[in-house]
Amino acid sequence: MARRLGLHQEVLQVNVWRGNASGGKHCHYEVPSLESQTILDVVTWIQRNLDPKLSYRFACRVGMCGTCAMMVNGKPRWTCRTHVRKVLDNNTLTIEPLRNLPVIKDLACDMSEFFDKWDRAQGRFHPSKTRSDDVVRIPPTSVHRTQVDAAIECINCAICYAACDVVQWNPDYLGPAALNRAWTLVNDVRDNNQTVRLRAVSSDAGCHNCHSHQSCTTYCPNEINPTASIAGLKRATAKATLSGKI
Amino acid sequence: MIGVRLYLAQRISAMIMAPLVLIHLVTIIYAVQGGLDAAEILSRTRGSVVWGALYALFVLTVSVHAAIGLRVVSHEWLKLRGTGLDVLTWVVGLGLMLLGGRAVVAVIM
């Protein structure tokens, strides 16, 4: 393959995990190194030129949809916005499916449990108004709104979930993304389901299991701080418990 | 594996323990400055309601705090679940309370 790419073409050594839920192994590929190349470019090049059966998932290619996350050299990354030259280790890339999620095939994971946990954390908006009511005006500088300025930017890429050691140790744990979502709604003054939500995030699989390792914060591509959101939930649930509300 | 009540119990027990540990350390460092043996220590602690209450509270908070902490570790590292996890939590908590209580009685009475 190196010869096919030309004598003067720099070549990346790429190991891609291939398999399904019952197991798999790393397959080796040689991929031409290009200027401003992303990890998603590498995976796409392999599929188009070397192995059309390679399965992976992507959509927008510009860091908005949160679809293309994978493990790159052992760390969870959004592959469409991760430049090869920034993560290359000894001219080698190892690309694997996201940690903590069941594999469907190759680099494509089953996200069902990830989104089911959103539901279990009451990550759904429950309106308190009808269409006949006036629109609620929320000042951008209000305490509740500023507390979730960053948290509402989550793109559901599951990178935080893959980075979380507590999810690995305790698969029932709701995880940073679902709890971050719950925190945005706890601060939504229009929501009408706060007691149920605080109870949901106080369950045996809830926010109190977080050890504040901050891996979610370290790897979040949108620079959100889910650990801070979870700390907010811990405070809110502690106050609600001590005051007898939940 | 831990909900809000166990979380609060562990945090509150830690808040109580922190000053008790400081009192304990400062007292022993101060008390042994001029040399001190077991008989002298016992002569000061026996019959003391204050030392009895202080160490009884310490034993109680340690039992609660350690039992919840080991519950978390056992769940995450030993994969203990359900009834087994509850039994371990209670055995550790009550065991520490029993052993610590025995030590407090020996020093105070």
Side-chain angles (χ1 to χ4, degrees), chain A:
Chain A
M1 174 52 62
R3 276 193 300 278
R4 263 175 52 196
L5 297 172
L7 279 174
H8 303 294
Q9 175 71 64
E10 282 186 33
V11 175
L12 304 170
Q13 305 300 319
V14 185
N15 301 308
V16 179
W17 193 91
R18 306 292 308 273
N20 53 35
S22 52
K25 61 176 183 172
H26 290 97
C27 294
H28 181 75
Y29 303 97
E30 291 184 340
V31 177
S33 175
L34 301 169
E35 188 66 28
S36 298
Q37 190 177 23
T38 66
I39 302 298
L40 187 62
D41 292 336
V42 169
V43 175
T44 301
W45 196 92
I46 292 170
Q47 194 205 46
R48 290 187 181 170
N49 296 280
L50 302 178
D51 192 344
K53 288 183 180 172
L54 175 63
S55 298
Y56 64 106
R57 193 187 279 128
F58 74 98
C60 76
R61 295 177 296 166
V62 290
M64 292 182 72
C65 71
T67 312
C68 67
M70 300 168 199
M71 304 299 289
V72 181
N73 286 347
K75 292 174 180 172
R77 305 271 187 195
W78 54 353
T79 58
C80 69
R81 298 289 299 273
T82 302
H83 280 244
V84 168
R85 63 183 164 79
K86 287 189 178 170
V87 294
L88 201 58
D89 182 12
N90 199 21
N91 199 43
T92 304
L93 289 172
T94 300
I95 306 172
E96 296 160 317
L98 275 182
R99 181 175 170 244
N100 295 338
L101 288 163
V103 175
I104 299 172
K105 182 175 174 288
D106 302 337
L107 301 170
C109 293
D110 184 351
M111 304 286 283
S112 309
E113 178 70 357
F114 176 74
F115 287 111
D116 285 348
K117 285 182 177 179
W118 272 50
D119 214 33
R120 272 180 249 154
Q122 289 291 320
R124 193 178 302 191
F125 177 63
H126 294 268
S128 54
K129 308 279 185 189
T130 68
R131 64 180 64 189
S132 313
D133 295 313
D134 283 342
V135 172
V136 178
R137 297 187 191 283
I138 301 172
T141 52
S142 69
V143 175
H144 285 301
R145 182 59 180 76
T146 51
Q147 283 199 120
V148 294
D149 273 349
I152 57 172
E153 300 296 335
C154 175
I155 57 170
N156 324 322
C157 62
I159 283 178
C160 59
Y161 192 82
C164 180
D165 287 335
V166 180
V167 172
Q168 191 191 31
W169 295 326
N170 178 7
D172 293 334
Y173 174 52
L174 293 171
L179 293 169
N180 180 73
R181 170 67 181 163
W183 175 239
T184 64
L185 290 169
V186 164
N187 284 284
D188 193 330
V189 294
R190 303 165 304 165
D191 192 277
N192 197 26
N193 205 33
Q194 300 297 0
T195 306
V196 174
R197 182 169 298 111
L198 290 178
R199 275 202 199 108
V201 299
S202 300
S203 70
D204 278 357
C207 61
H208 305 96
N209 294 283
C210 169
H211 293 317
S212 306
H213 288 166
Q214 303 195 50
S215 301
C216 51
T217 305
T218 301
Y219 292 106
C220 175
N222 270 349
E223 298 182 355
I224 298 170
N225 187 346
T227 311
S229 300
I230 294 169
L233 286 177
K234 286 175 179 173
R235 287 194 300 275
T237 51
K239 276 183 200 163
T241 303
L242 293 172
S243 60
K245 288 181 186 162
I246 60 171

